[in-house]
Amino acid sequence: MDSSSHLPLFSILFVMLGLTVSQSTNITGAHSSTFTIVNNCNYTVWPAVVSGPESTQISPSGFILQPGESTSISVPPSWSGRISGRTHRGNDSSGNFSCLTGDCGTSILECSGRDATPPVTLAEFTLGPVGTLVYYDVSLVDGYNLPLMISPHNETGGNCNSTGCAADLNGDCPSELKVVNGSETVACKSACTAFGAPQYCCETTDTCKPTSYSRFFKSRGPTAYSYTQDDANSTFSCFAADYDITFCPSPSTR
């Protein structure tokens, strides 16, 4: 799902297992799900949590996870939003917080409602009232910057499959889609971001078909969204579940 066409549907949060250090972030009031965000990468990740405009704003909306760390967030009913991971932190020309991939453009750790800048791997969620289905997906429509999986547990029913892209795509990324930092590929653009052409950006359903570029993403993340109309096997739903959102579900180095 991309930033424009899928915001009403889903949002984001990522979880991982086997951590050594944990943090806790709580939201007051009733909640329908607990999201556990886990950094299983061998490098630091700065998660970003962006709530939909009609949703309760989750705070903090940005934080740091060192390798092996995790944090749990209580998510209220009827929440929608996205979670992504920022990588390769540096400072901008003014010395403010900045990341090479997934940056929110706020110049601080908090994203404060600002979407991550593509290319970025997105975990997207839409929660209804308590007792109703939660819809979720992992989207590569805005490109890819790191592996991410969503895994539900404690569910009571629904199509509660794990989904995402566990593969490291940066090394295999087509040269025309690569985002490089020196000699290192740090992210992989979507064809829409790279070329801006209608057949890649799905400006109409008539021109929105799979392409060689979307097939590249789909072959490596079969359950993830590879382009805007890739709904058939990329959206999942679950009753009364909690969710692990995991960066680098298989340990990877940069």
Side-chain angles (χ1 to χ4, degrees):
M1 299 178 148
D2 65 2
S3 304
S4 57
S5 59
H6 291 285
L7 185 56
L9 292 178
F10 309 116
S11 266
I12 335 163
L13 277 153
F14 313 125
V15 180
M16 304 176 86
L17 303 174
L19 316 181
T20 58
V21 181
S22 66
Q23 307 167 10
S24 180
T25 301
N26 293 312
I27 298 172
T28 58
H31 72 276
S32 55
S33 292
T34 297
F35 291 165
T36 302
I37 305 170
V38 180
N39 180 15
N40 200 39
C41 304
N42 292 330
Y43 49 86
T44 304
V45 175
W46 290 263
V49 181
V50 179
S51 304
E54 304 300 321
S55 296
T56 299
Q57 299 301 298
I58 291 179
S59 181
S61 59
F63 48 94
I64 183 173
L65 287 180
Q66 299 290 353
E69 288 186 340
S70 69
T71 190
S72 294
I73 300 176
S74 296
V75 180
S78 303
W79 181 86
S80 68
R82 295 168 164 164
I83 298 169
S84 56
R86 295 167 287 179
T87 67
H88 296 77
R89 183 193 168 176
N91 293 314
D92 64 18
S93 58
S94 300
N96 298 316
F97 179 91
S98 178
C99 286
L100 281 179
T101 78
D103 193 72
C104 301
T106 59
S107 298
I108 57 175
L109 186 59
E110 295 271 347
C111 287
S112 305
R114 295 276 296 271
D115 273 330
T117 302
V120 63
T121 314
L122 295 172
E124 305 181 302
F125 287 86
T126 296
L127 284 69
V130 173
T132 61
L133 282 169
V134 172
Y135 293 91
Y136 60 96
D137 69 85
V138 170
S139 175
L140 306 179
V141 174
D142 281 351
Y144 168 99
N145 68 330
L146 78 173
L148 179 132
M149 292 290 295
I150 298 172
S151 301
H153 56 92
N154 299 328
E155 67 273 10
T156 60
N159 182 20
C160 302
N161 292 333
S162 295
T163 183
C165 180
D168 185 350
L169 305 189
N170 290 331
D172 294 334
C173 182
S175 59
E176 60 270 33
L177 303 183
K178 287 184 176 182
V179 177
V180 299
N181 179 38
S183 60
E184 179 184 5
T185 300
V186 297
C188 190
K189 296 178 183 178
S190 68
C192 177
T193 300
F195 309 123
Q199 66 267 34
Y200 303 126
C201 296
C202 298
E203 295 174 357
T204 71
T205 55
D206 292 338
T207 61
C208 193
K209 307 294 182 184
T211 68
S212 60
Y213 296 111
S214 68
R215 292 188 184 99
F216 162 76
F217 289 111
K218 197 67 175 178
S219 67
R220 287 150 177 84
T223 62
Y225 264 84
S226 60
Y227 73 106
T228 301
Q229 299 299 318
D230 183 21
D231 294 86
N233 62 350
S234 302
T235 304
F236 300 89
S237 58
C238 210
F239 279 111
D242 297 319
Y243 298 87
D244 292 340
I245 301 149
T246 303
F247 299 113
C248 304
S250 298
S252 63
T253 57
R254 203 162 55 205

